[in-house]
Amino acid sequence: MTSRIEIYSPEGLRLDGRRWNEVRHFRCAINTHPVSSDGSSIIEQGNTKVICNVIGPAEPTLRSRSGDRLGISVKIIVAPFSTIERRKRPQSDSRIQEMCSSIQHVFEDAVIAHLFPRSQIDVNLYIVAQDGGVLQACINATTLALIDAGVPMYDYVCACTAGMLDREVLLDMNRIEESDMAFLTMATIGATRKVSLLQLEMKVQFDRLEPMMAAAMSGCHHVRDLMDNEVRKHGKSRRQMGSL
Amino acid sequence: MATVKRAYIEDLNKRLTLSQKVFVRSRKGKATKIVQEHYLRTDIPCSSQLCPTCALNPPMDSSGTSRPFVLSSDPPSVKSFGPHYLVPDTNIYMKAMDLLEHFAAFYDVIVLQTALDELRNLSLPLYNRLRALTRSQEKRFYVFHNEFRQETFVQRLEGETINDQNDRAIRNACVWYSVHLQEAVAGTGKSAPTILLLSDDKDNIKKAKELGIVRATLETYVKELPQADTLLDMIVVEGDEDTSGANRYSYAEYYTTSRVQGGVKEGLLHQGILNINQYNFLEGNISVAGFERPLLILGRESINRAMHGDVVVIEVLPREQWKHPSTKIVEEETVSKNDNPEDDTQENVVTAQERRVLIEEARQAQHSSAEFRVQPTAKVVGIVKRNWRSYVGHIDASSVPSDAANARRQTSVFLIPMNKCIPKIRLRTRQAMNLLGKRVLAAVDSWEPTSRYPEGHFVRTLGDIESKDAETEALLLEYDVQYHQFTQTVLDCLPKEGHNWRVPADTSDSLWNGRRDLRELLVCSIDPPGCQDIDDALHARVLPNGNFEVGVHIADVSHFVKPDTAMDTEAASRGTTVYLVDKRIDMLPVLLGTDLCSLKPYVERFAFSAIWEMTPEAEIVNTSFTKSVIRSKEAFSYEQAQLRIDDKRMNDDLTQGMRILLRLSKILKQKRMDAGALNLASPEVKVQTESETSDPMEVGVKQLYETNSLVEEFMLLANISVAAKIYEAFPQSAMLRRHAPPPVTNFEVLADQLRVCKAMTLRSDNSRALADSLDDCVDPGEPFLNTLIRILATRCMLAAEYFCSGTMTYSDFGHYGLASPIYTHWTSPIRRYADVVAHRQLAAAISYETLHPSLRDKPKLQRICQNINQRHRNAQFAGRASIEYYVGQALKTREIDAEGYVMKVFSNGFIVFVPQFGVEGPIHLRDIGNPEPPCNFDEERYTLIFRKDTEEETRLQMFDRVLVRVETVVEESTGKRKVALRLKKPLIA
């Protein structure tokens, strides 16, 4: 009953040498594309890389005017070279559409929208490399780019994945792990227990859901700390440069 | 969500270093680059009990426990190296797993991740065995993840091969361990154990020497050990490369992997499992999709080093080489008796003698007109998967050189496996003389194209040939029956109360939840005499409306065996209880099997009940299932039950109930027969043993009563009802059993034989036609003939199998033999694992409990099915082999004349079946007279005509009755005492 790869060894190590509760190498930067956008960021979680550009808040184009509310439109561009096998994905890919709408819903609630009636924010996400946890990286990147754009939010929106292999919870899964087990993506509002997104696409035994959620939530809080560090560091350097 | 705890998260960015693993993979002819992260850490412990630093900070798993340190502070010591921890390289695992598992040596072993990963890619079974070793506490094997530890990680150098990198990683880890342990014991006054690198790779040894690593080859190390002689034999001998001369004859090389894969894809080559004919070791057949009949593989060259059960790739030979199956009995012992195990140089793969046999067959094939008998032939061109395991056999005495006794030098000898489908195995041993006359277990290592026979190595001896223990163990090993004692972790899953466990008296106890109280019902069980594991009990009573209520109560095993426990895993891997003549190898610990689960009389037991309301015509009005508590009133044997029913004076309610059951069962049986169920036969005999010594005394044919069929009918009914219920509840994952209809071609030969010899017809269009035509095959002069035909018909059928409902379409669910559209096994959970699964699924289907996720998981269920199918088959074989052995023993000192029937005719002999003892055996013409009497074989009439000396001509046709002398001889080829038959005279009806 053994497959050729061992996702989780009896000694408690994962394929890439992490233990169950360790997130991958997390690197982020904000204000990476100051010229082409109002806010921008880049996120690397392990080998998953996402760039985010935010334009707005601005007056909406005529076509997309949607009443009095603030509209957020999300567009995801997947680079053909982002996966192992080069493949072009059309914009209309249903999975991408689904991710767009999840992200849109999450941020419509996280942004203090009443400050910007009748305006529009465009979020463009570029997936440069994929190695599992694409949705979480997109959400984290969007959070940072919105902060960079100066859009007021209630708190960071931070996302993380957790999976369940037999009885073991694994945090922050890479591509190989994702393909081998049931996993969920969770986004929380800052370091609170408010969950703004919970996505689970596979069948999971009910009693196993709770440990997965607990792990994912602590992962989210950890990601929040990492992002917060980066934002503060960035703020400090801007102040030193005298741009603030 | 109030209970969500905040899990502790390590800050990876601070503590770990990141490296990237980059490699190129080729798939579909395209090269793709793959990048994976590889984290290097410093918290992987050395796991030595000597080390205080690693013990300070042991890593925790998600439940907060850490693994104990395994390497002992006082490791074993040998003369040259002192106390030491062993670090074997991959090759050692590949060729000496039997040694590593030996209890006498190899303790405190550091298994490096590098070697472990390499092993997994090379051989999954060996990997699993090594993993099992690391799990068991007593051998003290520790897996050290050297590639994740910062100090021991090695980066691939430019131009370095993977193998070299792995060897370097292993050496690196050795160096690190020595230094680390030196530091650990510094200041304590103790001396650190030596880190001993075991490797047979010359280059590796040389480089290790440069680094100052203590190293040894396997052989030099084993020589230091106390039991060196036995252990040395277990080392695999590598063929000396320099002996292979260029002009030597050899087997054809296998095609390259890419050619094989391409060929299979394009349909030029075919893949399948090779079956060797048990009567002719030079003939194999293989069923592949796309060919109606199995393909024949004739001769050693075509079989090309494949062994029975291997998954092979074959190439079909051109049509002019198609032949019909052999009409001869060919045994390896007679054809290749004089091969010399030492001498490999002059040998041709096909000896002149074998060639003669083949040519003779080819000649016959040409003037055979029976078109349907010509079969396509093929040759093996590649092996996908070897089915090698350990084989039990004995040493061929003639292959032992006469001077072996005085020299302790290694000699080559032949091991003749018990299984006739397996060729001789060449072993090198230092103890040839000691092994003579013993049952020996050996493993196959390789089969080089230049070697006529496979190479193997000695594993252990089981004892003297023909001693009861050795023979029993031999057949358990041969059929892969797990016969070891249950481990403590399994026994820990049993109820603490042991034999004192009782159904709680208080019906408000939580164990009573959802259980119906059926203690007042008049339930009884009917089983074979002396049965201890009573799975099932029955009851019946008249309802006020004139209908009957019938209940089948099955031991509630799933109450005691919960999923995902050690006991469940063990039961799943055993799959079934194995019944030998004098022994029972239980699937569940004896406490459950014969006591707590067993539905013994006069005590309260948990049960799972299926209850039907039936009209007097046995039409089912409704069906219900419930967990229950019953109290069996009596445990009958079939005979007792029959007597009680027949006894007119008994008129109590229990007897009345049994009469109702009997009456209904007859109606049910009739209905089944009308639907086309088959009444098959298998040669069943029973061996009576002396109770004290369990020496066999008497052999008799099993007697059947009406009550046998009573129990059987209701069990079938219960199984069918349950199957329908669980399929309805879990259409994707129900555990079911099917019996596929046999291909019509399977019956061609038998039908032709019947037509020619007995002028009977056999129709096999569907099970109904077959059942009817079998009923018609009656010869008033030969009462046994019908049974014989049924036995032969049974052999034409496919085996029934367990499967998971999601893997097939509904139309394939049918059970051909029972003529039921759906079927499962539910009634014997004590002795079959499939029933345990069905119990759990049924319990979930009636909402008694929630279904465990593993029983919803299709791939997992499929694996379970595969295993229990295999185990089930093996258990049957083992049971039969056990009977065969005991029949041999029972007849050891006697010679009896008995009637038998010819059930197969060859051109140089025939097979006779003796119903009295349930044995069949060949009679060779060469045994009838010396010199071999001239004979004439009429293949189309299945007749063999021969004349012995001056006597008049004897004609023997298929199905003829003959008088044979039954005696026993120790068969030279297998070392088994076997029934041997000699023809006395044909009895013409």
Side-chain angles (χ1 to χ4, degrees):
Chain A
M1 301 200 180
T2 346
S3 71
R4 287 274 165 187
I5 51 167
E6 191 172 51
I7 295 287
Y8 190 69
S9 74
E11 287 74 32
L13 288 165
R14 290 154 72 170
L15 269 180
D16 54 8
R18 285 181 292 154
R19 295 197 188 282
W20 70 277
N21 58 352
E22 292 170 341
V23 295
R24 286 175 290 173
H25 182 77
F26 187 95
R27 202 176 69 87
C28 58
I30 63 173
N31 202 24
T32 50
H33 300 76
V35 182
S36 59
S37 56
D38 295 320
S40 55
S41 70
I42 185 163
I43 286 259
E44 281 179 32
Q45 293 191 266
N47 282 335
T48 300
K49 235 180 256 191
V50 175
I51 298 172
C52 182
N53 282 344
V54 167
I55 297 167
E59 192 177 341
T61 52
L62 265 169
R63 257 190 314 132
S64 57
R65 200 180 293 272
S66 57
D68 285 345
R69 299 182 58 247
L70 164 71
I72 296 182
S73 84
V74 181
K75 209 161 118 192
I76 295 179
I77 296 104
V78 183
F81 52 81
S82 65
T83 44
I84 290 173
E85 259 136 46
R86 226 164 220 282
R87 191 156 70 90
K88 241 190 145 107
R89 283 171 190 75
Q91 265 300 301
S92 55
D93 186 317
S94 67
R95 290 195 62 82
I96 295 178
Q97 289 302 316
E98 208 178 292
M99 277 197 343
C100 288
S101 81
S102 309
I103 296 169
Q104 183 190 335
H105 287 301
V106 165
F107 285 96
E108 272 170 359
D109 291 339
V111 172
I112 306 178
H114 65 86
L115 298 176
F116 306 98
R118 288 186 292 280
S119 31
Q120 160 91 14
I121 299 177
D122 286 327
V123 177
N124 297 321
L125 288 152
Y126 302 90
I127 298 171
V128 182
Q130 298 190 47
D131 187 23
V134 173
L135 178 59
Q136 63 163 348
C138 286
I139 292 174
N140 294 335
T142 311
T143 304
L144 288 180
L146 285 172
I147 289 171
D148 185 38
V151 178
M153 297 203 285
Y154 294 103
D155 205 335
Y156 291 91
V157 181
C158 27
C160 193
T161 58
M164 180 62 94
L165 183 78
D166 291 333
R167 299 208 158 265
E168 294 295 335
V169 183
L170 302 184
L171 193 62
D172 190 14
M173 336 246 291
N174 64 26
R175 180 180 52 84
I176 302 172
E177 289 169 335
E178 269 186 1
S179 63
D180 247 55
M181 60 182 120
F183 70 98
L184 55 78
T185 305
M186 181 193 267
T188 61
I189 304 288
T192 66
R193 283 199 187 148
K194 288 182 195 150
V195 174
S196 61
L197 172 113
L198 183 62
Q199 192 174 319
L200 172 65
E201 293 175 343
M202 275 153 273
K203 272 194 268 183
V204 167
Q205 187 67 10
F206 182 70
D207 56 350
R208 303 201 174 169
L209 188 60
E210 197 171 293
M212 277 167 84
M213 286 173 66
M217 184 169 284
S218 54
C220 292
H221 296 171
H222 180 65
V223 167
R224 185 227 165 247
D225 295 344
L226 293 169
M227 294 199 298
D228 190 51
N229 280 346
E230 180 59 29
V231 170
R232 284 178 200 285
K233 206 169 80 193
H234 178 72
K236 211 177 273 173
S237 70
R238 288 283 283 272
R239 200 168 56 210
Q240 277 163 2
M241 281 156 56
S243 60
L244 282 178
Chain B
M1 283 301 293
T3 54
V4 171
K5 277 183 253 155
R6 183 166 175 166
Y8 170 69
I9 300 202
E10 306 246 0
D11 190 347
L12 257 183
N13 299 339
K14 280 182 198 149
R15 296 208 13 221
L16 303 189
T17 338
L18 176 65
S19 163
Q20 301 278 3
K21 209 151 93 178
V22 182
F23 51 94
V24 176
R25 179 183 70 180
S26 84
R27 186 185 274 177
K28 295 178 200 147
K30 272 197 289 186
T32 39
K33 181 176 154 190
I34 295 179
V35 182
Q36 280 174 8
E37 287 180 295
H38 192 90
Y39 292 93
L40 301 178
R41 37 200 329 135
T42 52
D43 66 346
I44 294 172
C46 67
S47 200
S48 166
Q49 287 169 359
L50 285 167
C51 177
T53 32
C54 290
L56 274 183
N57 204 351
M60 308 277 188
D61 64 11
S62 55
S63 53
T65 49
S66 61
R67 299 169 69 85
F69 279 31
V70 287
L71 299 174
S72 122
S73 54
D74 183 25
S77 170
V78 294
K79 215 171 4 158
S80 323
F81 307 109
H84 58 274
Y85 293 156
L86 281 171
V87 184
D89 76 355
T90 320
N91 271 325
I92 304 288
Y93 296 121
M94 279 300 286
K95 56 187 197 186
M97 194 56 76
D98 291 323
L99 265 178
L100 292 166
E101 284 168 348
H102 202 276
F103 63 92
F106 295 96
Y107 287 88
D108 293 301
V109 175
I110 299 165
V111 181
L112 294 181
Q113 179 192 11
T114 311
L116 191 66
D117 284 350
E118 221 178 330
L119 185 67
R120 187 171 45 208
N121 288 327
L122 291 168
S123 159
L124 214 45
L126 284 179
Y127 169 81
N128 286 333
R129 280 164 73 184
L130 185 57
R131 268 290 179 200
L133 275 177
T134 63
R135 270 196 304 273
S136 81
Q137 300 294 314
E138 58 261 30
K139 287 288 275 182
R140 304 196 294 273
F141 276 50
Y142 169 64
V143 179
F144 178 67
H145 285 262
N146 60 316
E147 289 181 12
F148 290 138
R149 175 134 193 156
Q150 200 161 12
E151 296 93 325
T152 52
F153 169 73
V154 294
Q155 192 87 46
R156 189 161 163 194
L157 302 176
E158 206 167 310
E160 192 177 38
T161 65
I162 297 271
N163 280 336
D164 287 345
Q165 185 198 357
N166 285 342
D167 287 346
R168 193 157 59 88
I170 290 172
R171 292 194 298 272
N172 238 0
C174 289
V175 173
W176 178 82
Y177 247 105
S178 334
V179 175
H180 179 81
L181 289 178
Q182 291 294 349
E183 282 168 6
V185 296
T188 58
K190 280 187 249 173
S191 66
T194 315
I195 298 296
L196 179 58
L197 171 67
L198 271 189
S199 174
D200 283 352
D201 182 343
K202 286 181 192 125
D203 188 50
N204 199 5
I205 288 279
K206 197 180 95 206
K207 287 184 177 152
K209 196 173 172 187
E210 287 162 16
L211 286 170
I213 300 169
V214 187
R215 71 271 144 201
T217 62
L218 186 60
E219 204 176 332
T220 49
Y221 176 72
V222 171
K223 276 185 181 148
E224 301 263 330
L225 296 170
Q227 292 190 18
D229 272 348
T230 339
L231 296 178
L232 274 174
D233 277 357
M234 295 166 73
I235 297 181
V236 178
V237 189
E238 277 169 273
D240 286 330
E241 286 151 25
D242 44 290
T243 57
S244 53
N247 53 356
R248 277 256 317 277
Y249 191 89
S250 68
Y251 288 104
E253 290 282 354
Y254 295 135
Y255 290 176
T256 56
T257 325
S258 53
R259 185 168 169 196
V260 164
Q261 280 171 350
V264 170
K265 211 182 226 171
E266 286 165 33
L268 300 173
L269 305 176
H270 304 275
Q271 185 175 330
I273 296 172
L274 178 72
N275 288 306
I276 301 286
N277 184 336
Q278 58 162 328
Y279 294 120
N280 182 347
F281 79 105
L282 289 175
E283 176 186 311
N285 67 58
I286 190 162
S287 299
V288 296
F291 282 86
E292 246 177 54
R293 296 199 201 103
L295 298 173
L296 275 186
I297 304 192
L298 294 172
R300 215 181 261 281
E301 274 170 317
S302 292
I303 295 175
N304 196 1
R305 293 173 283 152
M307 275 160 70
H308 184 70
D310 288 350
V311 180
V312 296
V313 171
I314 52 165
E315 186 172 56
V316 179
L317 293 171
R319 197 176 188 105
E320 52 274 22
Q321 292 183 39
W322 289 11
K323 295 192 179 125
H324 65 73
S326 164
T327 55
K328 255 192 158 175
I329 311 170
V330 184
E331 278 164 354
E332 188 168 14
E333 74 195 273
T334 49
V335 182
S336 50
K337 196 166 195 156
N338 303 322
D339 284 350
N340 185 352
E342 286 285 1
D343 191 10
D344 220 356
T345 47
Q346 36 74 296
E347 77 187 17
N348 285 339
V349 164
V350 179
T351 59
Q353 223 170 347
E354 281 174 18
R355 206 157 252 151
R356 219 168 295 140
V357 172
L358 288 172
I359 288 170
E360 208 171 302
E361 279 182 2
R363 209 180 46 224
Q364 278 175 4
Q366 276 170 1
H367 49 72
S368 149
S369 60
E371 177 56 34
F372 72 90
R373 301 195 46 161
V374 176
Q375 288 189 0
T377 52
K379 64 174 186 190
V380 175
V381 295
I383 298 219
V384 178
K385 199 172 152 232
R386 287 288 191 185
N387 187 36
W388 287 348
R389 52 183 172 92
S390 298
Y391 297 100
V392 182
H394 70 284
I395 303 290
D396 182 1
S398 60
S399 71
V400 178
S402 50
D403 60 341
N406 45 36
R408 291 222 70 89
R409 81 186 162 82
Q410 258 193 346
T411 51
S412 281
V413 295
F414 279 133
L415 176 99
I416 303 179
M418 280 168 78
N419 187 341
K420 280 195 180 167
C421 303
I422 306 296
K424 292 184 200 177
I425 300 166
R426 186 186 293 134
L427 302 179
R428 293 180 71 80
T429 175
R430 286 180 171 73
Q431 33 179 355
M433 279 327 254
N434 299 342
L435 295 181
L436 280 180
K438 305 260 195 218
R439 277 273 168 241
V440 175
L441 185 67
V444 179
D445 304 311
S446 63
W447 196 342
E448 297 303 321
T450 50
S451 161
R452 215 169 122 86
Y453 295 103
E455 300 276 349
H457 68 266
F458 163 84
V459 180
R460 67 189 167 96
T461 55
L462 309 177
D464 291 334
I465 286 182
E466 275 210 73
S467 70
K468 200 161 55 197
D469 292 340
E471 293 296 337
T472 307
E473 195 179 353
L475 75 90
L476 292 177
L477 280 167
E478 195 59 12
Y479 295 107
D480 195 21
V481 177
Q482 295 174 10
Y483 59 96
H484 52 81
Q485 301 273 309
F486 287 100
T487 59
Q488 194 54 45
T489 40
V490 172
L491 297 177
D492 287 344
C493 304
L494 295 170
K496 304 230 161 12
E497 301 87 347
H499 287 285
N500 296 322
W501 182 91
R502 293 281 176 273
V503 172
D506 181 7
T507 49
S508 60
D509 193 288
S510 65
L511 291 182
W512 276 82
N513 284 353
R515 277 184 195 277
R516 262 176 73 186
D517 185 355
L518 301 179
R519 286 178 293 182
E520 298 312 314
L521 287 180
L522 295 173
V523 173
C524 67
S525 61
I526 308 175
D527 286 287
C531 179
Q532 288 176 303
D533 43 357
I534 304 172
D535 281 305
D536 49 80
L538 297 150
H539 89 272
R541 61 179 181 188
V542 189
L543 293 174
N545 63 3
N547 284 349
F548 297 110
E549 180 194 84
V550 179
V552 166
H553 311 274
I554 306 295
D556 191 6
V557 171
S558 57
H559 173 76
F560 295 97
V561 185
K562 297 285 184 216
D564 250 3
T565 56
M567 187 151 66
D568 182 52
T569 321
E570 180 70 31
S573 90
R574 294 191 177 212
T576 172
T577 294
V578 181
Y579 292 90
L580 305 183
V581 171
D582 60 331
K583 209 174 178 175
R584 194 182 67 225
I585 317 292
D586 287 312
M587 180 182 86
L588 293 170
V590 98
L591 172 68
L592 287 187
T594 62
D595 191 2
L596 303 191
C597 289
S598 179
L599 301 175
K600 298 197 296 188
Y602 330 123
V603 285
E604 289 171 10
R605 286 284 175 252
F606 281 163
F608 206 154
S609 306
I611 296 170
W612 299 273
E613 186 184 336
M614 281 185 191
T615 63
E617 290 75 43
E619 296 293 338
I620 296 168
V621 180
N622 74 58
T623 310
S624 68
F625 305 99
T626 175
K627 292 258 182 172
S628 60
V629 177
I630 62 159
R631 187 193 178 99
S632 170
K633 299 293 173 280
E634 197 64 65
F636 294 110
S637 69
Y638 290 120
E639 192 180 0
Q640 285 167 340
Q642 189 69 46
L643 289 175
R644 179 121 173 202
I645 291 174
D646 292 346
D647 191 344
K648 296 276 183 312
R649 287 162 301 166
M650 303 287 276
N651 274 313
D652 56 301
D653 287 347
L654 182 60
T655 319
Q656 295 293 2
M658 285 159 65
R659 286 184 190 137
I660 296 173
L661 287 171
L662 185 63
R663 203 178 70 73
L664 290 173
S665 78
K666 285 181 182 165
I667 304 174
L668 287 172
K669 180 163 188 177
Q670 194 50 51
K671 281 188 190 167
R672 225 161 40 82
M673 291 298 154
D674 292 344
L678 296 176
N679 194 356
L680 298 172
S682 58
E684 276 194 78
V685 292
K686 133 186 114 166
V687 181
Q688 279 174 350
T689 55
E690 206 171 294
S691 53
E692 289 291 306
T693 56
S694 71
D695 285 336
M697 311 236 307
E698 205 50 64
V699 183
V701 179
K702 268 189 195 165
Q703 201 176 355
L704 295 177
Y705 298 94
E706 277 181 333
T707 42
N708 286 67
S709 129
L710 181 163
V711 175
E712 190 190 339
E713 285 309 320
F714 282 104
M715 294 308 136
L716 293 176
L717 182 64
N719 285 337
I720 293 169
S721 304
V722 170
K725 178 79 185 176
I726 58 176
Y727 176 62
E728 179 197 320
F730 308 108
Q732 281 300 307
S733 61
M735 164 74 83
L736 300 176
R737 186 170 172 83
R738 69 192 276 265
H739 183 204
V744 177
T745 51
N746 280 16
F747 289 103
E748 273 177 1
V749 175
L750 180 61
D752 188 62
Q753 286 168 342
L754 279 170
R755 187 178 54 79
V756 171
C757 306
K758 291 284 172 190
M760 292 170 177
T761 45
L762 186 73
R763 276 166 296 120
S764 50
D765 327 342
N766 56 41
S767 65
R768 182 67 205 269
L770 182 63
D772 290 346
S773 59
L774 278 175
D775 288 340
D776 293 339
C777 290
V778 181
D779 183 344
E782 297 276 4
F784 185 74
L785 181 71
N786 189 261
T787 317
L788 181 69
I789 294 170
R790 284 182 200 275
I791 291 172
L792 289 171
T794 311
R795 293 187 184 175
C796 298
M797 298 200 197
L798 306 172
E801 59 177 7
Y802 298 104
F803 70 104
C804 164
S805 60
T807 57
M808 299 205 184
T809 54
Y810 186 80
S811 55
D812 290 336
F813 286 9
H815 197 293
Y816 181 76
L818 298 172
S820 164
I822 191 166
Y823 191 67
T824 189
H825 269 167
W826 177 71
T827 51
S828 301
I830 297 180
R831 57 188 179 86
R832 289 189 304 232
Y833 188 72
D835 303 52
V836 178
V837 175
H839 268 237
R840 289 180 188 149
Q841 291 182 335
L842 183 63
I846 59 166
S847 318
Y848 173 79
E849 60 188 13
T850 56
L851 188 65
H852 189 264
S854 67
L855 300 183
R856 223 187 252 284
D857 187 343
K858 216 159 65 178
K860 243 180 212 166
L861 273 170
Q862 256 175 303
R863 283 196 295 264
I864 292 178
C865 289
Q866 233 170 28
N867 181 46
I868 54 184
N869 281 329
Q870 178 74 33
R871 297 284 175 193
H872 184 83
R873 217 164 19 240
N874 283 349
Q876 283 180 329
F877 290 148
R880 272 182 227 153
S882 170
I883 290 178
E884 191 186 9
Y885 167 71
Y886 274 95
V887 169
Q889 291 296 310
L891 299 173
K892 200 167 173 178
T893 50
R894 286 182 284 176
E895 287 186 4
I896 300 166
D897 289 344
E899 275 185 15
Y901 294 83
V902 176
M903 68 191 307
K904 205 170 168 84
V905 183
F906 293 101
S907 61
N908 63 344
F910 45 92
I911 309 289
V912 172
F913 176 73
V914 183
Q916 191 184 342
F917 303 110
V919 293
E920 60 181 274
I923 297 182
H924 297 266
L925 275 186
R926 63 162 190 270
D927 297 336
I928 292 176
N930 195 13
E932 193 170 314
C935 70
N936 189 356
F937 175 51
D938 183 352
E939 203 182 339
E940 275 138 70
R941 299 205 55 79
Y942 306 97
T943 309
L944 187 65
I945 306 156
F946 58 90
R947 185 196 298 275
K948 184 182 166 187
D949 302 334
T950 53
E951 289 170 30
E952 64 178 287
E953 204 171 66
T954 316
R955 285 179 81 90
L956 273 177
Q957 201 179 20
M958 182 90 187
F959 304 117
D960 275 357
R961 192 148 55 100
V962 291
L963 188 68
V964 289
R965 162 71 50 90
V966 182
E967 56 195 9
T968 61
V969 287
V970 177
E971 197 180 35
E972 200 181 330
S973 61
T974 57
K976 279 186 209 167
R977 179 170 288 276
K978 261 202 125 165
V979 172
L981 305 174
R982 273 196 299 142
L983 183 68
K984 294 285 285 185
K985 62 172 186 215
L987 301 167
I988 306 300

